């Protein structure tokens, strides 16, 4: 069935450095790829998304890249700050349903 | 507040009791989703509505779980004869027909004693 793999499961970076989280998907019909940030005890929040007709999208310090041929997409966070500490989830969709990755716990070291 | 709302935010119940949760989606959204999330895991899809029609239900959902969206606006999720394994955060999300973006409510945290 449809599957999304996400790596790494935990990522620790120094404040100010960049963080990269990678996801691969199995369904070649997937055409929508959102990223969610979830802080402890709070709801998942959509931070950026990309559709299959675009290779890259940027919003201030965050960017997402998509390689449809390889079926993988990545989240890039530059100049990381303490408030970026959270669990990040990728997802892929070909219709109404999101297939979720297992999440990456991002730790920003001061 | 024009976001997704859920009620109650917390529910503690004894094993064997029935519980019901409510979700109010963003008003112009016709799609509504229920998820379950346990600590350290991603959201697990439970069921999906388009307007008042329940179009998909996860195979993981036992017959103790039922959801409704009678007028295509708010939705309820009922769990009958609760078990300790039902303890989790129950999240609701909504999206519009045109766009896939799903926006989540704050969740209902269920604890079954």
């Amino acid at each position: 069935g449809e599957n999304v793999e996400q790596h790494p499961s935990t990522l620790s970076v120094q404040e100010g450095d960049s963080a990269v989280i990678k996801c691969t998907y199995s369904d070649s019909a997937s055409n929508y790829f959102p990223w969610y940030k979830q802080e402890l005890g709070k709801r998942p929040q959509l931070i950026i998304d990309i559709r299959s007709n675009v290779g890259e999208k940027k919003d201030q310090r965050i960017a997402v890249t998509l390689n449809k041929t390889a079926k993988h997409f990545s989240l890039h966070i530059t100049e990381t700050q303490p408030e970026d500490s959270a669990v990040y989830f990728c997802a892929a969709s070909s219709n109404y349903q999101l297939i979720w990755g297992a999440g990456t716990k991002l730790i920003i070291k001061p | 507040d024009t976001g997704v709302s859920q009620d109650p935010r917390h529910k503690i119940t004894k094993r064997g009791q029935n519980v019901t949760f409510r979700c109010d989606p963003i008003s112009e959204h016709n799609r509504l989703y229920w998820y379950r999330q346990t600590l350290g895991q991603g959201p697990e899809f439970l069921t999906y509505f388009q307007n008042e029609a329940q179009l998909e239900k996860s195979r993981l959902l036992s017959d103790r779980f039922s959801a409704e969206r009678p007028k295509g606006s708010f939705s309820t999720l009922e769990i009958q004869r609760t078990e300790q394994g039902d303890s989790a955060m129950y999240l609701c999300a909504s999206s519009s027909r045109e766009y896939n973006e799903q926006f989540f409510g704050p969740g209902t945290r269920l604890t079954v004693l």
Side-chain angles (χ1 to χ4, degrees), chain A residues 91-102:
Chain A
S93 173
S94 60
N95 47 37
Y96 57 85
Q97 186 170 344
L98 295 179
I99 308 300
W100 293 75

Side-chain angles (χ1 to χ4, degrees), chain A residues 32-36 46 48-50 73 89-93 98, chain B residues 101:
Chain A
Y32 174 65
F33 308 90
W35 286 88
Y36 285 83
L46 180 66
I48 196 167
D49 56 14
I50 192 168
F73 56 112
F89 293 97
C90 65
S93 173
L98 295 179
Chain B
E101 295 95 331

Side-chain angles (χ1 to χ4, degrees), chain A residues 50-65:
Chain A
I50 192 168
R51 300 182 189 279
S52 58
N53 58 346
V54 175
E56 184 174 359
K57 184 176 178 181
K58 191 173 181 180
D59 183 3
Q60 299 183 342
R61 295 186 299 107
I62 59 174
V64 57
T65 59

Side-chain angles (χ1 to χ4, degrees), chain A residues 4-8 11 19-25 32-38 44-51 57 62-66 72-77 87-92 98-105, chain B residues 101-104:
Chain A
V4 174
E5 293 190 359
Q6 183 172 346
H7 299 280
L11 177 60
V20 180
I21 302 170
K22 299 181 179 181
C23 289
T24 59
Y25 60 97
Y32 174 65
F33 308 90
W35 286 88
Y36 285 83
K37 175 183 179 183
Q38 189 174 28
Q45 287 196 304
L46 180 66
I47 56 171
I48 196 167
D49 56 14
I50 192 168
R51 300 182 189 279
K57 184 176 178 181
I62 59 174
V64 57
T65 59
L66 171 65
H72 67 69
F73 56 112
S74 301
L75 177 71
H76 304 251
I77 305 174
V87 178
Y88 291 80
F89 293 97
C90 65
L98 295 179
I99 308 300
W100 293 75
T104 296
K105 183 176 183 179
Chain B
E101 295 95 331
Q102 292 186 23
F103 296 94
F104 283 82

Side-chain angles (χ1 to χ4, degrees), chain B residues 31-102:
Chain B
R31 297 179 173 182
L32 188 147
Y33 312 78
W34 283 99
Y35 292 89
R36 176 171 61 192
Q37 187 176 30
T38 53
L39 198 63
Q41 303 295 317
E44 175 188 25
F45 172 78
L46 294 179
T47 191
Y48 158 68
F49 289 86
Q50 183 164 306
N51 299 313
E52 66 276 8
Q54 186 174 20
L55 297 186
E56 185 161 348
K57 188 174 175 180
S58 169
R59 291 190 301 270
L60 300 173
L61 214 59
S62 78
D63 56 8
R64 296 185 297 106
F65 288 71
S66 61
E68 294 183 340
R69 195 183 182 198
K71 297 181 180 179
S73 55
F74 74 91
S75 175
T76 58
L77 177 69
E78 181 183 17
I79 309 174
Q80 296 182 325
R81 305 181 302 281
T82 52
E83 301 172 356
Q84 287 186 325
D86 297 331
S87 295
M89 176 74 85
Y90 289 83
L91 293 163
C92 175
S94 69
S95 71
S96 66
R97 183 197 303 272
E98 291 77 20
Y99 301 102
N100 307 69
E101 295 95 331
Q102 292 186 23

